[in-house]
Amino acid sequence: MSRTRARVSAPDQACVAAVDLARAAAEELARPGEPGEHLGYESEGDRIVTHYFACLDRAYRGWRWAVTVTRASRAKKVTVSEAVLLPGSGALLAPEWLPWSERLRPGDLGVGDLLPTADDDDRLAPGFTETDDDTDRQMVFEYGLGRARVLSAIGRDRAARRWHAGEHGPHTPIAHAAPAQCSTCGFYWLLAGELRLSFGVCANEYAPDDGRVVAADHGCGAHSEAAVLPAPVEQAIPILDDLGYDLMEEETGSVDASASEELGHS
């Protein structure tokens, strides 16, 4: 059994020689002087050849101009089929396109923006009471006894991981320098539900995390027990006795006033 080999046609010499024609087609699309040296050619089929030229545009480094020329059967005139700019091996390419829902990042949502949630979002789970009657289901929702969807176990786990690894978790400089953890602070308001063992809300108006969800092992310098100062001691008012008096003994001087000794005065 012999293998069949695909016949590779030899490059058409008329198309191979049409370098100037291909360069002129590239210069019509590019600015003058941007198509650089001829990088070679490639046979695309019978009487079809693609010529490659270097791109000298600084915004497209690593790209190349590709101009395909051809001629009809039994015709001597070579014509241009197409001319495009193609990336080379070291070309700078744009990242792969992603839908907007996957490009969205925290903080991108602005005033008036709407962020619809997919029906199959794994972060959410049905929150209403399962009933067979649509009327009962709607009544439960309208009376506030349930919500259309609530956090699923996956949603809670993702939120817990994100909060614990964020700015309000234990791995921040302010938490490392804190005198104690938030779990021992009097301003630490516990969350309800399954996250109450790990997270709470800071209620200290002087703390940098006031009104934010913080991890139990987070901390800051505004801890309620950080600096408990002793009560100041009130100084007693001095009492002045302005009614009584003390007798002072007269001190005897060094000169006797009663002596008649002359002191050398005339």
Side-chain angles (χ1 to χ4, degrees):
M1 182 177 180
S2 61
R3 295 182 178 178
T4 59
R5 296 183 178 179
R7 186 179 68 88
V8 179
S9 59
D12 184 81
Q13 295 304 314
C15 294
V16 171
V19 177
D20 294 338
L21 176 65
R23 180 183 294 276
E27 290 179 348
E28 290 182 2
L29 298 178
R31 289 179 291 186
E34 286 185 356
E37 62 176 332
H38 184 244
L39 301 178
Y41 64 89
E42 182 179 357
S43 178
E44 303 288 353
D46 293 339
R47 298 180 301 279
I48 302 175
V49 172
T50 299
H51 292 274
Y52 296 99
F53 301 91
C55 180
L56 303 181
D57 191 343
R58 292 180 296 176
Y60 289 90
R61 293 181 178 178
W63 290 62
R64 57 183 181 171
W65 287 101
V67 181
T68 303
V69 296
T70 185
R71 69 181 180 89
S73 177
R74 299 181 181 180
K76 297 182 179 180
K77 183 178 181 181
V78 179
T79 59
V80 176
S81 175
E82 63 177 351
V84 294
L85 186 62
L86 298 178
S89 58
L92 180 63
L93 301 177
E96 184 180 356
W97 183 86
L98 294 174
W100 69 269
S101 58
E102 298 182 19
R103 299 195 307 267
L104 197 63
R105 293 293 179 268
D108 290 347
L109 198 65
V111 178
D113 295 338
L114 297 178
L115 179 60
T117 306
D119 294 336
D120 58 348
D121 195 325
D122 57 1
R123 299 173 300 171
L124 299 173
F128 51 75
T129 304
E130 284 294 338
T131 59
D132 296 330
D133 191 354
D134 292 339
T135 303
D136 294 340
R137 180 183 303 176
Q138 183 67 23
M139 181 180 63
V140 169
F141 178 79
E142 289 180 354
Y143 279 111
L145 302 179
R147 288 171 287 169
R149 287 188 290 180
V150 295
L151 271 178
S152 63
I154 297 177
R156 288 193 300 269
D157 182 67
R158 289 183 182 177
R161 291 175 181 269
R162 186 172 62 253
W163 294 347
H164 196 265
E167 297 180 358
H168 312 297
H171 310 297
T172 57
I174 192 172
H176 292 167
Q181 296 181 351
C182 290
S183 59
T184 61
C185 181
F187 298 103
Y188 181 71
W189 190 287
L190 293 174
L191 291 182
E194 298 183 8
L195 296 179
R196 87 180 265 115
L197 297 179
S198 302
F199 298 97
V201 177
C202 178
N204 188 347
E205 60 180 318
Y206 300 108
D209 300 317
D210 179 39
R212 295 180 174 89
V213 175
V214 294
D217 48 356
H218 183 60
C220 71
H223 195 281
S224 61
E225 313 304 323
V228 179
L229 301 177
V233 179
E234 295 184 2
Q235 296 183 354
I237 301 176
I239 301 176
L240 299 178
D241 185 6
D242 54 355
L243 297 179
Y245 60 92
D246 296 332
L247 296 176
M248 305 293 293
E249 294 183 0
E250 183 179 357
E251 296 182 358
T252 303
S254 60
V255 178
D256 188 2
S258 60
S260 60
E261 181 181 0
E262 295 182 1
L263 299 179
H265 298 285
S266 59

